[in-house]
Amino acid sequence: MEKKAVLKNRQEVEDFVRGCTFYGTGGGGDYAQGVDALMKQLEKGHEIGWVDAGALEDGYTCCPFLMGSIAPESPEIAKERETIYGLGLQTHDYTQAMVGAVRILEQLHGQAISALIPIELGGANTAACIAAAAEMGISAVDGDYTGRAIPEIQQTTPFIKERELLPVASFDCWGNTACIAGSVNWRMVERIGKMIADGGYSKCAQAGFFLPVKEMRETVIPGTLSECFQVGRTIRLAVEAGRDPAAAAAGTVGGTIVCRGKVVKKEWWDKIGYYWGTHTIAGEGEFAGTQLKIWFKNENHMSWKNGEVFVTSPDMLQVVDTETGFPYTNNKIEEGMDVTVIAMKAREVFRSERGLFVLSPKAFGYDMAYVPAEDVIGN
């Protein structure tokens, strides 16, 4: 593993954010926002990239993250937001909001933070974390706390490893600040955090998981940012060479193509700060006769193949454009699209008892046992 990686131009930024979006499994925030955040740092002359966790000296780390729903904003909500915040008030972008949340956390602990760790992999969430580190002149770690994207804060390795979450500092894009100093459990932290974000129309950054470097090293899933860059680059190169980008991506991540076809139905709703719904895909070509349904709560978590339970969280499902291999977040998928679905094994830590407790069918209210993807697919 390289000790340090630096993104030097727009193509490298786009490759990286494409890979983050791929591992986002339908969530993790918008690709365009992630590219914009990193390009602004490049234009400022800041170095953007990441370092191996083992290269860090002693110090303190934290995890800033975007909080809120990725559901499309209704005209009514947009009008309400403009009425409240459209009166010449100062606004902040996601990078500034993350920096603001980290600064509050530093004040709460009375300690400077020397490195930031992304909470998850996703087009906006990972990129904004790296942009915030660049803006602050500190390191971003080559790793994250999930190895994919997730909807709830307890679905992370700090929960599995029983690390400290609180306090959580909040700074939204309008400059409103808050702090969750205590809570009865992690799920209430998630719920309260979502309510804070909802007050700022889902344009909010929060920061928590204040950990010494040693505890961070024992908790982080290492090397995941490098993995994102590799798969994002692989997709682009496959398209340029006229090869199947979905197959190239699957080969890179050790995944399996489980369906190719057309999105024939989309159902969705926005509830309690999450984007919920189901996509139905009718298989074509070698997958003719296959109907694949994917249920999402921000990210893809359950699927049914011809009515039978198929791949589920913590294993990963990503929907990509069949022609370009571009990975879709769920709010970008529409009926009529030609898509390919790739299944990937979960990170091993999430197949532990404590991992399955927070990220499996039962964690989402489905009364069924988790079956590993490789057993379901037959690979």
Side-chain angles (χ1 to χ4, degrees), residues 84-317:
I84 296 175
Y85 291 115
L87 302 176
L89 298 179
Q90 182 181 4
T91 59
H92 306 267
D93 63 22
Y94 283 124
T95 300
Q96 293 171 316
M98 275 197 174
V99 172
V102 172
R103 292 303 188 199
I104 295 171
L105 203 62
E106 287 181 322
Q107 293 170 13
L108 291 170
H109 286 279
Q111 293 282 355
I113 288 168
S114 57
L116 303 183
I117 295 87
I119 193 171
E120 64 179 6
L121 304 180
N125 227 339
T126 310
C129 178
I130 294 172
E135 181 72 20
M136 295 177 70
I138 61 177
S139 298
V141 171
D142 187 5
D144 75 298
Y145 286 150
T146 315
R148 52 167 294 166
I150 42 84
E152 300 178 26
I153 201 165
Q154 74 276 7
Q155 295 162 334
T156 55
T157 53
F159 176 85
I160 296 172
K161 302 285 188 178
E162 301 187 66
R163 303 301 186 196
E164 184 57 67
L165 164 60
L166 295 174
V168 169
S170 179
F171 189 108
D172 73 16
C173 287
W174 324 107
N176 301 303
T177 65
C179 172
I180 306 172
S183 179
V184 295
N185 59 39
W186 287 54
R187 296 201 68 171
M188 281 305 299
V189 177
E190 168 71 19
R191 182 174 176 82
I192 294 168
K194 275 287 191 288
M195 297 301 103
I196 293 171
D198 191 53
Y201 298 94
S202 286
K203 297 182 181 295
C204 180
Q206 297 178 355
F209 303 113
F210 181 89
L211 297 177
V213 166
K214 180 178 183 296
E215 290 188 26
M216 177 276 294
R217 287 180 185 141
E218 296 167 350
T219 309
V220 74
I221 301 173
T224 57
L225 304 192
S226 295
E227 290 177 18
C228 288
F229 182 71
Q230 181 182 17
V231 71
R233 183 173 181 271
T234 295
I235 291 170
R236 173 178 59 84
L237 292 177
V239 172
E240 292 175 356
R243 296 183 287 111
D244 180 348
T252 298
V253 302
T256 302
I257 293 174
V258 295
C259 190
R260 291 187 192 269
K262 193 175 294 293
V263 179
V264 294
K265 189 174 183 181
K266 179 186 181 82
E267 304 165 278
W268 70 271
W269 58 96
D270 191 16
K271 177 184 174 185
I272 324 177
Y274 303 101
Y275 183 49
W276 311 67
T278 304
H279 292 125
T280 303
I281 300 165
E284 297 177 345
E286 65 179 299
F287 294 96
T290 295
Q291 182 193 72
L292 187 66
K293 286 191 174 184
I294 301 175
W295 177 86
F296 57 87
K297 180 180 180 182
N298 286 6
E299 294 80 24
N300 302 319
H301 297 291
M302 296 289 299
S303 67
W304 294 263
K305 181 178 178 181
N306 296 333
E308 299 292 328
V309 177
F310 194 47
V311 177
T312 74
S313 282
D315 295 323
M316 298 175 261
L317 284 169

Side-chain angles (χ1 to χ4, degrees), residues 61-101:
T61 69
C62 81
C63 176
F65 48 91
L66 304 178
M67 177 65 85
S69 174
I70 64 170
E73 189 176 62
S74 70
E76 294 79 14
I77 292 296
K79 183 177 180 180
E80 178 184 289
R81 174 173 53 79
E82 286 301 314
T83 301
I84 296 175
Y85 291 115
L87 302 176
L89 298 179
Q90 182 181 4
T91 59
H92 306 267
D93 63 22
Y94 283 124
T95 300
Q96 293 171 316
M98 275 197 174
V99 172

